[in-house]
Amino acid sequence: MVRLYNLHPFGSQQVVRCRQEPERVCCGGQDALFVAAGCKVEAFSVGARAPEPAQPRCCFSTLGRVLHLSYSEPGDYLVTIEEKNKATFLRAYVNWRNRTTENSRVCIRMVGHRVEGCFREASKDQMSIIEIPLSEPPLCVACCPVTGDLLVGCVNKLVLFSLKWQVVNEGFSMLDFERAFIIHIESILPIEISFCSGYIAVMMDLEVLILHLEAAPKGEGNVDPSPTTEDALARQVTTEAGRKSDACTLSAPQLESEDFVICQKPTELLGEVSRQCGLSVTLESMGLNDEKASPSQLHSILYRRFTPDVSYYAFPDDTKLHSLQLLPIYQTGAVTTDGKSSPQEKELLSLFCFFSLPHIGYLYMAVKSVELVSVYQYPEKCQQAVLTPQFLHVITSNNLQCFTVRCSAAAARDADPYMDTTLKACPPVSLDICALRMQLFIGLKAICHFKNHIILLTKAGAGDIPERRKSLLSRKDGSVKLKTPSAMEAGWNLYIVNTISTMQLYKEMVDYSKTYKNVRTQSCIHLLSEAHLLVRAALMDPSLTEPGEKEELLEAFRESCGHLGDCYSRLDTQHSHLALPYYKMSGLSMTDVLTRIDSVVEDGSQNPERGLLFYINHSLYENMDEELSEELAAKVSQLFSVAEPKQLPHALCSPCMKNIDPLTAMNYLKKLNTSGFSSVLVTLTKAAMALKMGDLNTYKNEMKCHTEMELVCGFILEPRLLIQQKKGQVVPTEFAAHLKETQPGLLVAAVLGLQKNSKMGAEEADAFFKINSCSHYGLIYPWVTFLTSSDSLHDQNYAEDLSKLQSLICGPSFDVASILPFLEPLSEDTTAGLSVHVLCLTRLKEHEQAINWLLDRCPEAVIPYAHHELKEEGLRALWWKKLLPDLCQRIREGGEKYEVHLSSLKETLSVAATELELKDFLNVLPEDGTVAFFLPYLLYSSRNKSMM
């Protein structure tokens, strides 16, 4: 099914001013457009922006009439098949951008010959032509968009040339080709081929074959190169099933006659089964003399054969396949903090194959799994089609049509293992095709595409004018008769149609979807899914390097996820659960979602849909750090009391519902009919709310309704009554704290029950019994342990008391200022007393005084102290403003602690060299220092800042 929308993917258009009537057109790379006419090729530069016209770059002559041309971005070369005197030639045009005038000198050389003989100093700046000889006439060519390798189709075989660079001298290399493989395929006449990253697609009149050429595993394909016969060099991959199929097929001369046409039945073979197609495929390696060349093997992954439509009289060309294309989808390049794309080679993520009959097109996925993705039904006879990651553009005789594609949906599932889970979602590959636009062009003949440009070649004669326009012309002047097609001169034009930006079309789709918002149909979801896939495909483009453009697309991506979340939360469909992953991908908080949902009404007269409830239910379990406002918490309670009363106790126990008015929650809980589900859970939730209100009588009455074992079972049903996690740590609830004081036995039994039923880990239980016994003690700072390690305290009781005191001072609830009078009797001369006084100074933020005491009495602890206490932004400067000058002064004075001071100074210099700019670092260094001592730190600072 094809959905029709009147959107506007096409923007402005311009006419390319060609000298002669174009016959062949191709484009690619950043700006290259080639137009072949007769024995000449014109090259144009097409700007990225729409208003910029195509600028003529150069023009060069060919050996003969151009039958086929193809451009390769790797290597920046143009390859042509040319005909002269009924002979065909294969040529590659290199360095064409340096062609200054039509009469400029050209270097012509043969492929594989030594390039040193052809090289002159002027060769760097002139166009060169590489002649590529073949034993049989070339029929079609294709260039790999990743490697630039060249594939040539001939009768019964394909020849693969690898792109390489011949080093002429130290400062110059020349592009060349090397014959790598010959793929022999019996009884084929290729009319189109496509080649990408080792995947080869071959199309005959009614057959399509996709092969995968890859390196053989170790131990396989190691053929002894000593035999010289072709049979010894070739490796046959035809299956027995294929041979039997060939043997059983009746030959055409035996059955054909004037009255009968014998057609094979249509066939579709995917994956390994495609080897049974009956075609004999043989791989012949031409690089056996190269010891470094790794053995390769060939796999057939798809074969499809069609039958001609003989249900009506048709010309032979009306039933042939056309528009074969392999479309790669790459891993997206990462954008660094400085806004530049990280350098990396293109990594193939997914590969799609498209081919078409006159009235129907087929899109297959060819990597990881081979399957049919989409089928395109055309309203008119298709003359040619071109596939892009976002659209399929089709031309009929008088119309340019635009269809959506599902490549980004399929590639997203290949890229992300978490797709189609509660974490992430993507519109399905099976989503209906959408026709966006049909635009009139008279006499369309050819189409090609690159970047945001569509190139159209039109040649209009009288036969191309639509009947409606003919009738209008005849009505204008009845005395004027239309010329016959033979008498009317044909007109031609070459157009560049600029597609609008992704963001502009995305916004139009979103605005269009609003017309379906109130009627609650699937059309709203469909159109928003199209908008989502449009943005997703743009984000997969590896050429997306501008951080501003990428951020704009990411914002649109998040917005589209929010729109889809709204749809699935409102509409009661079988896919309503998708509201959860789409809302997660949108980046919206639960507060944001609940605020924008309009299906929640105050009186509860309208039942909420499943999608919203599914999202809220999961979010209440997962969004532990978000607290809903009292108003929104009341709305959530109302939702569950109306739609899912069984989940109301669980919802009220979520940390997100912390701000719920306990009286409101109690009223909803009282309305519950406990006959259908666990009454003990309702009782415990009521008790928790009563405790929150301070109503101890109600709390006691609720707790008396069940036995202790029943209450333990209730806590197991909802552990969050006792424990909650905040920022990864187990925190006891107010309920647990009250049980500790009133019913410690029940608390212990409940925690043990949670641990036994895997609702709480052993470590969590241990931690619970420790942040629930006393929270006044804290972890002793590591520098304190370093400070007291040198003092052996023989009195074990004294050592334990000191540790408790140190832990109390390090704890979160100890008021240091209030206990200072009690600590004055402690002498700073002992390490124990020193540790307590320095701890107090540290808690009071008197770090400079603490550093002075440590430098005077225990300089060994200065650096550990600084690393632990001077981490905050406002305290980092003490490293070079306090420690550095004080250590320098003490080193000048010498003394028995000289080595300790020197070691501390080196560590301080390392920190300062890392933190400070080079100029600032120079300013803090002492003026009387030795250059040799400070030079390594200066060099480190200089290198560190230049790398950053």
Side-chain angles (χ1 to χ4, degrees), residues 359-661:
H359 293 282
I360 188 169
Y362 299 89
L363 178 63
Y364 281 86
M365 184 165 59
V367 173
K368 294 184 179 177
S369 63
V370 183
E371 57 183 294
L372 181 63
V373 176
S374 302
V375 176
Y376 292 86
Q377 298 280 354
Y378 312 131
E380 303 176 55
K381 178 188 173 184
C382 167
Q383 301 198 153
Q384 194 177 352
V386 62
L387 181 68
T388 75
Q390 292 178 315
F391 300 112
L392 175 69
H393 299 290
V394 175
I395 57 170
T396 64
S397 60
N398 294 307
N399 281 303
L400 168 63
Q401 301 174 2
C402 178
F403 298 89
T404 55
V405 297
R406 304 290 166 250
C407 298
S408 60
R413 287 169 170 80
D414 284 343
D416 199 333
Y418 294 100
M419 198 60 67
D420 298 327
T421 65
T422 58
L423 297 175
K424 295 180 182 178
C426 182
V429 176
S430 59
L431 192 69
D432 289 343
I433 301 300
C434 176
L436 297 185
R437 190 76 175 170
M438 184 180 293
Q439 193 148 323
L440 179 65
F441 283 90
I442 304 299
L444 283 167
K445 299 300 179 185
I447 181 174
C448 57
H449 173 275
F450 76 112
K451 299 295 180 182
N452 60 326
H453 306 295
I454 300 171
I455 315 300
L456 297 175
L457 175 60
T458 66
K459 294 185 179 181
D464 296 306
I465 300 177
E467 292 297 327
R468 184 171 179 269
R469 187 171 177 183
K470 288 181 182 178
S471 63
L472 290 175
L473 290 173
S474 62
R475 289 175 188 174
K476 265 189 173 182
D477 188 355
S479 63
V480 179
K481 296 183 179 179
L482 287 174
K483 295 182 180 180
T484 61
S486 59
M488 179 173 285
E489 294 182 359
W492 58 267
N493 269 313
L494 189 63
Y495 295 99
I496 297 179
V497 179
N498 303 293
T499 57
I500 67 173
S501 68
T502 299
M503 285 302 304
Q504 186 176 347
L505 185 56
Y506 164 77
K507 291 175 182 177
E508 185 178 351
M509 286 182 169
V510 173
D511 290 340
Y512 197 169
S513 70
K514 293 177 182 177
T515 59
Y516 302 102
K517 184 176 181 180
N518 296 326
V519 295
R520 295 193 171 210
T521 64
Q522 289 291 336
S523 296
C524 183
I525 290 181
H526 184 273
L527 197 49
L528 287 173
S529 297
E530 295 288 4
H532 177 88
L533 290 178
L534 183 72
V535 176
R536 188 184 280 274
L539 286 169
M540 287 181 172
D541 185 358
S543 64
L544 180 64
T545 57
E546 290 295 329
E549 182 183 2
K550 183 168 185 178
E551 183 54 40
E552 186 180 24
L553 287 171
L554 286 172
E555 181 60 32
F557 179 83
R558 291 188 287 265
E559 181 187 79
S560 70
C561 291
H563 290 320
L564 285 169
D566 291 342
C567 284
Y568 285 111
S569 66
R570 290 187 180 101
L571 303 182
D572 190 11
T573 70
Q574 61 177 340
H575 302 296
S576 57
H577 63 280
L578 293 175
L580 175 63
Y582 278 120
Y583 275 142
K584 282 188 176 181
M585 292 191 299
S586 71
L588 295 170
S589 65
M590 189 159 55
T591 298
D592 297 331
V593 172
L594 292 173
T595 302
R596 60 194 277 159
I597 290 297
D598 56 6
S599 62
V600 180
V601 291
E602 295 297 333
D603 57 2
S605 59
Q606 181 181 355
N607 290 335
E609 304 296 352
R610 290 184 299 169
L612 177 61
L613 289 170
F614 185 80
Y615 163 75
I616 296 176
N617 203 10
H618 273 262
S619 298
L620 291 177
Y621 274 96
E622 298 173 4
N623 298 343
M624 298 300 182
D625 296 329
E626 181 182 2
E627 295 180 0
L628 298 178
S629 66
E630 181 179 344
E631 180 185 3
L632 289 179
K635 284 188 176 182
V636 170
S637 301
Q638 178 193 26
L639 276 173
F640 281 100
S641 65
V642 172
E644 291 192 22
K646 292 183 179 180
Q647 294 298 322
L648 179 60
H650 295 283
L652 292 173
C653 294
S654 171
C656 303
M657 301 286 285
K658 179 181 179 181
N659 297 323
I660 183 72
D661 179 19

Side-chain angles (χ1 to χ4, degrees), residues 272-312:
E272 293 296 325
V273 185
S274 61
R275 294 186 178 186
Q276 302 176 10
C277 63
L279 293 175
S280 176
V281 182
T282 305
L283 178 64
E284 178 183 354
S285 174
M286 305 302 293
L288 293 178
N289 293 329
D290 187 359
E291 296 180 357
K292 296 182 181 179
S294 59
S296 300
Q297 58 187 7
L298 198 63
H299 299 287
S300 173
I301 61 173
L302 184 146
Y303 173 78
R304 181 145 191 182
R305 179 175 62 224
F306 299 88
T307 56
D309 189 355
V310 294
S311 60
Y312 60 92

Side-chain angles (χ1 to χ4, degrees), residues 65-111:
R65 177 170 168 263
V66 177
L67 303 179
H68 189 98
L69 72 168
S70 182
Y71 169 79
S72 171
E73 184 174 3
D76 192 24
Y77 68 88
L78 178 72
V79 62
T80 63
I81 297 178
E82 304 170 16
E83 181 185 41
K84 183 178 181 180
N85 298 330
K86 297 183 179 180
T88 54
F89 305 88
L90 184 64
R91 309 177 100 200
Y93 294 82
V94 182
N95 226 18
W96 56 273
R97 294 182 186 270
N98 291 334
R99 178 82 167 170
T100 55
T101 65
E102 193 169 345
N103 296 324
S104 300
R105 292 177 60 88
V106 176
C107 171
I108 302 178
R109 52 192 172 93
M110 192 73 70
V111 69

Side-chain angles (χ1 to χ4, degrees), residues 875-900:
L875 299 175
R876 297 293 287 172
L878 289 179
W879 278 95
W880 48 88
K881 289 184 178 180
K882 173 66 179 173
L883 271 177
L884 182 59
D886 285 5
L887 287 170
C888 289
Q889 179 62 32
R890 281 171 167 75
I891 288 175
R892 294 189 191 98
E893 296 172 356
E896 60 179 7
K897 296 291 186 178
Y898 176 83
E899 292 297 333
V900 177

Side-chain angles (χ1 to χ4, degrees), residues 22 41 48 62 68 181 229 473 528 561 738 790 857 906 931:
V41 173
T62 59
H68 189 98
F181 296 101
T229 64
L473 290 173
L528 287 173
C561 291
H738 186 76
S790 60
R857 293 173 173 81
K906 290 180 180 179
V931 175

